[in-house]
Amino acid sequence: MLSYLFNDRSYYRTLLRLAVPIVFQYLISSSMNIIDVAMIGQLGETSVAAVGLSNQAFFIMTIVMFGISSGSAIFTAQYWGQRDVASIRRVLALCLGMGLIAAAIFSGIGLFAPASFLKIFTKDMAVVELGSKYLGIVASSYLVTAVTYSYSAVLRSTEEVRLPMVISSSAILFKTFLSYVLIFGHFGLPQMGVEGAAIGTVIARYLEAIVLLILNYKRKTPAAVKLTDLHGYTREFFRRFFRTVLPVTFNEFAWSTGVTVYPIVYAHISTE
């Protein structure tokens, strides 16, 4: 049995070639998030609570996008096996459209009603006030995050794993450095605290999306979708796509909403 499982060396070489860059990217992301929390933690418990509760909007949004991109990746991988680039680009367009709709909803919450959102979690007005400043800034990056998620998902499904890994990891490192500079006011810049962390995040996310799009189209990858590619949709195509993607998306949304109940409970106990 074991010899049967591990006999195909070509399969495992391919598996490692695709999986290792993705694992490395998430490892970098998790590590830098820990550093972010450590930096903000030096500002006090109110700042930690404000940023943590504000980021619940981003958490739910990214999990929804993960569901959309995961469902889309199913089709992308199938079409890539057939080398059907035209269909891959049609899938990307739908994935991007759904992601932008989700991002627009959460952007609206963050830009126009951040205090109302945060009051769901806590009655501490100091946390609400500080969190509103953070969320009001960082929400301006949600739309470009949807672009990055969509293109990265399709690139990975077409065996192009290194490009999103390098760009995303570099953006995370840059964001951490920029947040450090802006939070604590180094190199002659003013000390901006929580707002500095938000500004660093926004700049890094915009740069990440811009660089990804430039290299994607410069290299003419299967994800280099153009307006002229957006044709050939049929009722059957839409039916198959949404029948697969919507249940995955709803599942992820339901899970993330359930997880969000924990910080609501904790924050109502106390800010600390």
Side-chain angles (χ1 to χ4, degrees), residues 53-129:
L53 296 178
S54 298
N55 276 330
Q56 290 304 307
F58 182 72
F59 167 70
I60 297 172
M61 183 192 73
T62 52
I63 294 298
V64 169
M65 289 182 183
F66 175 77
I68 295 169
S69 60
S70 295
S72 301
I74 295 170
F75 292 99
T76 305
Q78 291 175 350
Y79 289 130
W80 180 240
Q82 302 166 12
R83 295 302 188 266
D84 186 351
V85 175
S87 293
I88 289 172
R89 291 176 177 175
R90 285 195 288 270
V91 169
L92 172 57
L94 291 176
C95 176
L96 184 60
M98 291 180 67
L100 288 172
I101 291 171
I105 293 170
F106 286 97
S107 294
I109 293 171
L111 294 172
F112 303 112
S116 298
F117 175 78
L118 287 164
K119 286 177 182 177
I120 297 171
F121 294 88
T122 179
K123 298 185 185 301
D124 188 332
M125 292 311 297
V127 173
V128 171
E129 183 180 354

Side-chain angles (χ1 to χ4, degrees), residues 118-247:
L118 287 164
K119 286 177 182 177
I120 297 171
F121 294 88
T122 179
K123 298 185 185 301
D124 188 332
M125 292 311 297
V127 173
V128 171
E129 183 180 354
L130 196 57
S132 295
K133 293 178 181 178
Y134 178 88
L135 186 55
I137 295 171
V138 82
S140 62
S141 68
Y142 289 174
L143 288 173
V144 295
T145 301
V147 173
T148 302
Y149 253 77
S150 300
Y151 277 87
S152 296
V154 171
L155 284 168
R156 291 191 193 103
S157 299
T158 56
E159 300 182 66
E160 182 61 79
V161 293
R162 293 193 179 188
L163 180 62
M165 178 203 72
V166 171
I167 293 173
S168 180
S169 299
S170 300
I172 291 164
L173 291 168
F174 177 69
K175 177 182 85 73
T176 303
F177 170 75
L178 199 57
S179 294
Y180 170 74
V181 171
L182 295 175
I183 289 171
F184 301 111
H186 293 291
F187 304 109
L189 293 172
Q191 184 175 339
M192 302 179 71
V194 164
E195 292 176 80
I199 292 169
T201 297
V202 170
I203 293 172
R205 285 179 185 163
Y206 270 90
L207 284 176
E208 179 183 14
I210 290 168
V211 173
L212 179 64
L213 289 175
I214 289 173
L215 293 180
N216 175 63
Y217 283 93
K218 186 177 181 180
R219 297 175 63 171
K220 298 179 180 178
T221 72
V225 62
K226 298 176 289 187
L227 288 175
T228 53
D229 296 320
L230 304 184
H231 60 84
Y233 288 104
T234 63
R235 182 177 296 180
E236 176 62 20
F237 189 94
F238 282 118
R239 189 182 65 81
R240 289 182 62 242
F241 179 84
F242 288 110
R243 189 177 62 184
T244 301
V245 173
L246 288 179

